[in-house]
């Protein structure tokens, strides 16, 4: 029996599923979801649980300057760069059991399965839980991995405040008190490779009836805020032709942009998620509207082209309605392309396990997008019910959960030997 | 000198203009407008000021079950039904100095001028400020006059909640604490006649260069609340064709209704003034939208026909987008025709004063529409800058302001003798 076969045999569906349920109790909600926001008491309790499981197997734990937590199984070559696998334990305020936690627990299952199989890997393996992936308490998300990979500065990131004015740095100090772990400077560890398992958070795998998604990369994301300014007027006395109705102008712009987005094709994700009217009175013609645009595509050039379409459309609508318009680009995240060799390894792993797989792009951002800047990285997706995520009703099957862990186990075992 | 001539001579442009400016300080905004929403602390402060001016002249104050405030000057016949004159002190969230407040202060100027002229009228005269005419905080508007005239039920109206869940009844109790006034049951006073002065809130008088509008009636008004329910989804992972985007459905419905409204012609006033998205997150496809429709026309049959158009459009859009829709008719106010004898009296009053006047219909609803159901009633309009109203830039000239008050003074003096 090869090492890989031993590891596959050692991956336990029962153990992994129980760990998912146990972890879901930290911040568990009445509706079956999870409220375990970054650097909260619940987050600390979840980290303590993970470290306790690790300690029971003799694995060491470390925490770095931004609160990222690592559980390490040593390799034969103590000086070799580790294979890092994991995701995040923090959740949305009304999040589910699987987003993030699944990737950490699948990684921990890999660590245990390799230990159970009695395999001495060449490289060390580390399971990671990155700080504040969700970005709902502290903005932006994927903060821990972003600082680790050098995308964000440590000092300014620690100063970030939540809505009630609490500083991330102070809250992380509380986590260190509640869930103590030895400090290890982030400079002291560079991954040899990074793998992350996650629920798809989209409908494609479930619709296709396929258990494994191999992720080619992460869409680029641009966020915009659009303002249109008209003139408030009395709804009863002002003939429609004399109005400068900001709402009428805004829906004209959005209608045009919806049509343009559909023309680009399905890979373009165009969403207006917020739409605020001022003064928001039933009998006043709206004097101002502000709406958001969330725009995603795997190709940055396509995003740039649509960026221009947004500007041109708002300008044309503003002129036609006599309502001055302004488009502000709030953020721009470049698309991520994962490492072709790691992707090939994931294909081989799924094939070895005789799992059907779909190659897809991630519509959501993940910690892997930062890690891909500093080491070969890729991701494995599993289906989730109706593609629903960031929702207490988030759900996945035990069969899919263990399938993803097995693909991760095979790929990790092979990576440690390289 | 006749009584009417004495009253005309006693109407003071300077005093009335100063009172307009003083009143505008309650809820005054940086842009020179007013935010004095119904039953707010600012509304209470404005009522206190009015009562203080009344008390200084020996006029009694009363407040009824729905918070309408009356300032009374007794007549020779203590048992006679009073002539009631006034308007409202509440404003839109970004309202102006004149909408409502002008009618109350012009009425108060009439009361003072009659007192200054030393005239003992036969009937009592009461200046009124009706509760929540604007309808922007609590829906529908013209609530105080509506309950007073029996158009709305007192008990259910007091249960009305604002957006933050505060009940009108509780908020009126706060006003009574902040601006105490003796209680008088509404059943204990029936007006002999009602007159209301107001800015036109439309462009006709200013365009014609005419200072006085004599109002023949008020358009019918219907208010609707429309809900469309889609499905929340992740903006990055859900292809557009798989979404049930409530915002996309809503703007489709509004676009169709705008086109249908324009086809009916300029006399139809169709306005979407509020538009609320849930959950209102930039990266979540909207799961629900609620928007308001304000619909006005002088002919009730035209309103009924468009009422059906709204229902059919929302149904068709709901089906096309897979987003169940619901249209609720919040209120229906029939077109109002004012009393021909009171209109004739206003014509005579303007003629006596040698003011040019225009006879017109009101595009806006006013408290007078409810009063017209229970007593002879009519209205006087004065021009406002560019017809702009429900706007912090609302403006009127001191000359027009006092002209309207003089017409009101002559008509009121004559009515008390009848």
């Amino acid at each position: 029996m090869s090492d890989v076969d031993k590891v596959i045999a050692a991956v336990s569906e029962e153990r992994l599923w129980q760990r998912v349920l146990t972890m879901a109790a930290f911040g568990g909600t009445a509706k079956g979801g999870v409220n375990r926001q970054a650097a909260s008491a619940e987050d600390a309790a979840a980290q303590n649980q993970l470290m306790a499981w690790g300690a029971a197997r003799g694995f060491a734990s470390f925490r770095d300057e931004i609160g990222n937590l690592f559980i390490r199984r040593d390799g034969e070559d103590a000086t070799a760069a580790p294979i890092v696998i994991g995701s995040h334990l923090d959740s949305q305020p009304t999040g589910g059991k699987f987003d993030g936690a699944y990737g950490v627990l699948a990684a921990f299952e890999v660590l245990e399965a390799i230990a159970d199989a009695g395999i001495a890997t060449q490289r060390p393996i580390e399971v990671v839980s990155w700080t504040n992936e969700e970005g709902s308490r502290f903005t932006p998300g994927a903060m821990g991995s972003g600082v680790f990979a050098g995308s964000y500065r440590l000092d300014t990131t620690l100063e970030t405040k939540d809505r009630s004015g609490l500083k991330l740095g102070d809250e992380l100090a509380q986590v260190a008190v509640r869930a103590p772990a030895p400090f290890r400077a982030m400079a002291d560890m560079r991954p040899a490779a990074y793998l992350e398992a996650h629920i798809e958070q989209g409908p494609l795998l479930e619709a296709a009836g396929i258990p494994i998604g191999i992720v080619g990369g992460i869409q680029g994301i641009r966020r915009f805020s659009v303002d249109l300014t008209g003139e408030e007027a009395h709804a009863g006395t002002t003939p429609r032709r004399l109005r400068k109705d900001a709402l009428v102008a805004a829906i004209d712009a959005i209608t045009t942009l919806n049509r343009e987005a559909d023309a680009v094709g399905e890979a373009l994700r165009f969403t207006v998620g917020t739409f605020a009217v001022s003064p928001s009175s039933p009998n006043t013609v709206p004097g101002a509207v502000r709406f958001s645009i969330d725009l995603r595509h795997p190709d940055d050039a396509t995003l740039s082209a649509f960026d221009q379409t947004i500007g041109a459309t708002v300008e044309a609508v503003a002129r036609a309605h006599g309502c001055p318009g302004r488009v502000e680009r709030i953020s721009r995240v470049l698309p991520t392309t994962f490492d072709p060799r790691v992707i090939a390894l994931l294909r081989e792993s799924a094939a070895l396990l005789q799992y059907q797989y779909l190659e897809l792009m991630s519509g959501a951002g993940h910690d892997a997008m930062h890690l891909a800047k500093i080491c070969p990285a890729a991701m494995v997706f599993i289906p989730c019910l109706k593609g629903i995520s960031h929702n207490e009703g988030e759900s996945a099957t035990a069969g899919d959960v263990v399938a993803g862990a097995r693909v991760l186990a095979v790929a990790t075992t092979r990576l440690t030997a390289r």
Side-chain angles (χ1 to χ4, degrees), chain A:
Chain A
M1 213 175 177
S2 74
D3 280 0
V4 164
D5 287 338
K6 285 185 207 161
V7 171
I8 292 171
V11 169
S12 164
E13 177 177 326
E14 171 63 17
R15 179 170 59 193
L16 174 52
W17 187 252
Q18 281 306 320
R19 294 227 154 120
V20 169
L21 298 184
T22 302
M23 194 53 89
F26 297 103
T29 64
K31 289 184 183 169
V34 171
N35 177 5
R36 193 168 60 228
Q37 296 184 60
S40 65
E42 294 78 16
D43 190 11
Q47 294 184 36
N48 255 334
Q49 176 64 78
L50 183 67
M51 286 192 281
W53 286 328
R57 301 298 305 242
F59 305 147
S61 298
F62 305 97
R63 193 182 278 116
D64 69 13
E65 294 88 332
I66 192 67
N68 298 319
L69 181 69
F70 300 87
I71 313 288
R72 176 181 171 103
R73 181 173 185 263
D74 287 329
E76 297 203 302
D77 180 353
T79 63
I83 305 302
V84 177
I85 54 179
S87 190
H88 59 94
L89 286 175
D90 70 309
S91 83
Q92 292 279 326
T94 54
K97 296 181 184 71
F98 299 92
D99 179 359
Y102 168 59
V104 173
L105 297 173
F108 192 78
E109 180 61 32
V110 169
L111 215 58
E112 289 210 274
I114 289 174
D116 289 340
I119 293 165
T121 60
Q122 189 186 338
R123 294 183 180 279
I125 307 174
E126 297 199 3
V127 172
V128 64
S129 173
W130 303 108
T131 293
N132 184 34
E133 193 274 345
E134 293 294 354
S136 45
R137 182 177 175 198
F138 298 97
T139 304
M143 224 176 219
S145 55
V147 170
F148 184 87
S151 307
Y152 305 134
R153 286 178 56 148
L154 174 65
D155 52 357
T156 51
T157 301
L158 287 171
E159 296 293 313
T160 313
K161 288 178 183 165
D162 71 5
R163 253 168 244 163
S164 60
L166 296 171
K167 246 188 236 176
L168 177 63
D170 296 337
E171 291 297 280
L172 287 177
Q174 284 297 311
V175 170
V177 169
R178 290 177 159 132
F183 173 75
R184 183 181 69 187
M186 54 179 74
D188 292 345
M189 194 276 280
R190 289 290 93 170
Y194 177 71
L195 288 177
E196 180 169 357
H198 208 281
I199 55 170
E200 181 196 343
Q201 306 182 281
L204 300 179
L205 292 175
E206 190 191 49
I210 290 178
I212 296 295
I214 295 178
V215 187
I218 298 181
Q219 297 181 122
I221 308 179
R222 301 189 189 196
R223 287 274 179 78
F224 304 86
S225 176
V226 180
D227 286 284
L228 285 158
T229 308
E231 210 165 85
E232 291 176 23
H234 192 291
T237 60
T238 319
R240 289 173 52 80
R241 70 184 161 82
L242 296 180
R243 299 180 181 187
K244 293 178 179 174
D245 186 328
L247 183 139
V248 171
I251 69 172
D252 189 1
I254 297 170
T255 301
T256 302
L257 289 169
N258 278 331
R259 199 168 48 231
E260 298 278 352
D262 289 337
V264 173
E266 184 169 310
L268 188 76
R269 303 280 152 78
F270 172 86
T271 306
V272 175
T274 73
F275 188 104
V277 180
S278 170
S280 192
S281 166
N283 54 355
T284 303
V285 174
V289 167
R290 170 173 291 180
F291 62 89
S292 64
I293 294 175
D294 178 294
L295 188 74
R296 309 191 193 204
H297 194 274
D299 171 38
D300 197 55
T302 305
L303 291 171
S304 291
F306 205 86
D307 197 321
Q308 299 210 335
T309 301
I310 292 170
T313 301
V314 170
E315 202 180 307
V317 161
R319 209 173 317 116
H321 291 266
C323 294
R326 200 173 65 91
V327 179
E328 189 188 352
R329 196 168 68 197
I330 302 290
S331 64
R332 177 188 179 187
V333 178
L334 292 172
T336 300
T337 307
F338 288 136
D339 187 275
R341 290 160 305 163
V342 183
I343 291 172
L345 175 63
L346 289 172
R347 274 192 213 110
E348 292 160 28
S349 304
L352 175 74
L353 288 157
Q354 296 186 307
Y355 290 143
Q356 272 195 287
Y357 60 86
L358 200 65
E359 304 212 16
L360 40 67
M361 295 293 287
S362 175
H366 292 287
D367 294 305
M369 70 193 175
H370 292 300
L371 273 294
K373 293 183 186 174
I374 58 166
C375 67
M379 293 185 76
V380 176
F381 277 174
I382 62 164
C384 59
L385 182 70
K386 291 182 189 169
I388 293 170
S389 181
H390 288 195
N391 186 307
E392 292 169 272
E394 195 180 81
S395 182
T397 69
D400 290 336
V401 158
V402 76
R406 286 200 187 105
V407 173
L408 194 66
V410 173
T412 303
T413 306
R414 293 215 165 144
L415 279 169
T416 61
R418 295 187 177 195

